[in-house]
């Protein structure tokens, strides 16, 4: 079909050239007639433009056709990823190419199916990282595929365990760079896995220039609203992490909560510096943050008095002390809901600690 179109284009050009050849004879008999000259120029221009358009159309059709045919060959061989590439290129060259869009979508679905099968095979052979790569490739062809996303989600839990075990093996022989790499991969897959988060943060402190590892332990609540102390500790932990700017690393507070629940009563009956040192050693951190707060009732505004200390582990030396200061809440806050503004208080306190 394309060859016939090309021959037709050549024939049209030849006919126009013949007409152009006759024009000078006619024009020579009436040289004073300027309109004949204009006609000659116009026909010549039309010929040139027509020839360029025709040749360009022929070239485009030829290139698109080659990719289209190559796509068909790849599809027949079951090489669906290459078929997708060829059909995509054909469609790029000639967006209105008949049937290409339909074949491209079919090829994408088949490519997804092909890579899912490869992923399943790799998973059965316990080549989990290869399986993940295949599943990711499958998702690239059909991003909305719920089947592929489910396979990736299921596989990620297995990979977390693999990366975590590798990290531990590197850690035991003090190969902290490799340990950090493995822990980081596990952490990115499941940042809520407490033990992974803890190991990842500890490895970072070893590798990133021996950065100090810190954590918020507890606040003594001297107000009449129970439970706010843990809320403040968690929010301060978050704000300290936000404001770290590469100067230190914060241990995940979930690990702290677990240790406090399991060990606090056995170690000490009161929340004090001695308990802070014991918990700090168990956590393996360099510094711990403790504090206390009490409320101040006023006529128009709610205020809270807060203090904090940063203690070195295991010496108990105070490396930073925030003297008691008053924090005033907004006017809309009253004695029943002042704890809702704890995040803002934590941000202010973190700035004072890092000052």
């Amino acid at each position: 079909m394309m060859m016939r179109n090309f021959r037709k284009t050549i024939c049209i050009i030849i006919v126009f050239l013949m007409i152009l050849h006759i024009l000078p004879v006619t024009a020579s008999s009436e040289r004073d007639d300027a309109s004949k000259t204009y006609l000659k120029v116009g026909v010549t221009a039309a010929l040139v433009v027509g020839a360029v358009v025709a040749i360009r159309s022929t070239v485009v059709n030829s290139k698109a056709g080659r990719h289209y045919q190559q796509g068909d060959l790849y599809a027949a061989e079951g090489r669906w990823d290459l078929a997708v590439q060829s059909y995509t290129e054909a469609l790029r060259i000639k967006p209105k190419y008949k049937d290409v869009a339909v074949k491209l979508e079919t090829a994408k679905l088949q490519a997804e199916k092909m890579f899912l099968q490869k992923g399943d095979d790799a998973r059965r052979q316990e080549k989990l990282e290869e399986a993940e790569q295949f599943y990711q490739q499958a998702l690239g062809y059909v991003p909305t595929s719920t089947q592929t996303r489910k396979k990736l989600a299921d596989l990620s839990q297995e990979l977390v365990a693999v990366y975590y075990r590798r990290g531990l093996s590197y850690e035991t022989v003090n190969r902290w760079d490799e340990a950090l790499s493995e822990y980081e991969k596990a952490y990115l897959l499941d940042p809520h896995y407490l033990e992974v988060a803890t190991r990842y943060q500890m490895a970072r402190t070893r590798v990133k220039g021996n950065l100090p590892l810190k954590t918020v332990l507890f606040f003594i609540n001297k107000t009449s609203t129970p439970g706010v102390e843990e809320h403040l500790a968690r929010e301060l932990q978050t704000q300290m992490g936000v404001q770290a700017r590469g100067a230190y690393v914060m241990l995940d507070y979930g690990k702290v909560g677990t240790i406090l629940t399991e060990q606090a009563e056995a170690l000490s009956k009161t929340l004090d510096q001695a308990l802070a040192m014991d918990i700090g050693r168990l956590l393996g951190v360099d510094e711990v943050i403790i504090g206390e707060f009490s409320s101040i009732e006023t006529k128009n505004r709610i205020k809270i008095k807060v203090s904090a200390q940063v203690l070195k582990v295991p010496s108990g030396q105070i490396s930073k002390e925030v003297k008691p200061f008053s924090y005033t809440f907004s006017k809309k806050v009253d004695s029943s809901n002042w704890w809702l503004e704890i995040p803002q208080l934590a941000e202010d306190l973190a700035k004072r600690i890092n000052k």
Side-chain angles (χ1 to χ4, degrees), residues 23 26-40:
L23 283 175
T26 305
S28 63
S29 62
E30 301 180 18
R31 296 180 183 277
D32 57 332
D33 191 352
S35 63
K36 299 293 185 179
T37 303
Y38 294 147
L39 177 62
K40 177 181 177 181

Side-chain angles (χ1 to χ4, degrees), residues 17-221:
L17 287 174
M18 292 174 64
I19 295 172
L20 182 63
H21 182 70
I22 295 170
L23 283 175
V25 177
T26 305
S28 63
S29 62
E30 301 180 18
R31 296 180 183 277
D32 57 332
D33 191 352
S35 63
K36 299 293 185 179
T37 303
Y38 294 147
L39 177 62
K40 177 181 177 181
V41 173
V43 171
T44 302
L47 277 172
V48 172
V49 172
V52 170
V53 171
I55 292 171
R56 183 181 182 281
S57 176
T58 301
V59 171
V60 166
N61 289 337
S62 177
K63 288 179 66 177
R66 285 198 300 272
H67 287 292
Y68 180 90
Q69 292 170 1
Q70 189 64 62
D72 284 347
L73 289 175
Y74 285 139
E77 296 171 358
R79 301 164 71 182
W80 293 104
D81 52 336
L82 298 179
V84 169
Q85 292 179 16
S86 294
Y87 289 141
T88 300
E89 188 62 17
L91 200 61
R92 184 191 68 80
I93 295 171
K94 189 177 179 182
K96 295 183 179 180
Y97 204 129
K98 185 180 179 181
D99 296 335
V100 174
V102 174
K103 288 195 173 186
L104 176 58
E105 290 306 310
T106 300
K108 286 182 178 180
L109 291 173
Q110 291 298 327
E112 180 207 21
K113 184 178 178 181
M114 178 181 73
F115 282 111
L116 282 179
Q117 184 61 55
K118 289 184 177 183
D120 291 343
D121 292 341
R123 193 172 180 180
R124 279 192 293 270
Q125 298 171 30
E126 297 186 355
K127 298 177 180 179
L128 301 185
E129 288 160 298
E130 285 186 26
E132 183 188 30
Q133 292 176 1
F134 287 134
Y135 289 153
Q136 290 288 1
Q137 286 178 282
L139 192 64
Y141 290 105
V142 187
T144 58
S145 173
T146 55
Q147 180 186 14
T148 304
R149 290 183 180 277
K150 185 178 186 305
K151 285 180 180 289
L152 277 169
D154 293 341
L155 181 63
S156 68
Q157 297 306 308
E158 297 178 50
L159 283 170
V160 167
V162 170
Y163 295 142
Y164 177 66
R165 287 195 298 269
R166 283 185 195 165
L168 284 176
S169 65
Y170 285 129
E171 181 182 329
T172 56
V173 292
N174 289 320
R175 293 171 60 179
W176 287 102
D177 286 323
E178 292 96 329
L180 175 60
S181 176
E182 298 300 326
Y183 288 145
E184 185 172 47
K185 287 187 284 189
Y187 179 75
L188 290 175
L189 286 173
D190 189 359
H192 302 296
Y193 190 160
L194 182 57
E195 193 60 35
V196 167
T198 300
R199 292 290 177 182
Y200 168 57
Q201 289 159 345
M202 292 181 69
R204 282 186 64 199
T205 64
R206 294 278 186 169
V207 175
K208 306 294 184 181
N210 289 322
L211 297 177
L213 182 62
K214 301 184 179 186
T215 191
V216 178
L217 284 188
F218 53 77
F219 276 81
I220 299 173
N221 182 358

Side-chain angles (χ1 to χ4, degrees), residues 295-330:
S295 58
I296 305 172
E297 298 291 339
T298 61
K299 282 187 176 182
N300 300 320
R301 304 282 284 274
I302 298 294
K303 292 184 178 181
I304 187 171
K305 183 178 286 186
V306 186
S307 63
Q309 291 180 332
V310 181
L311 307 176
K312 290 184 177 295
V313 179
S315 67
Q317 179 184 354
I318 299 175
S319 62
K320 176 72 177 184
E321 183 170 16
V322 177
K323 298 291 185 180
F325 69 95
S326 295
Y327 180 87
T328 304
F329 291 87
S330 59

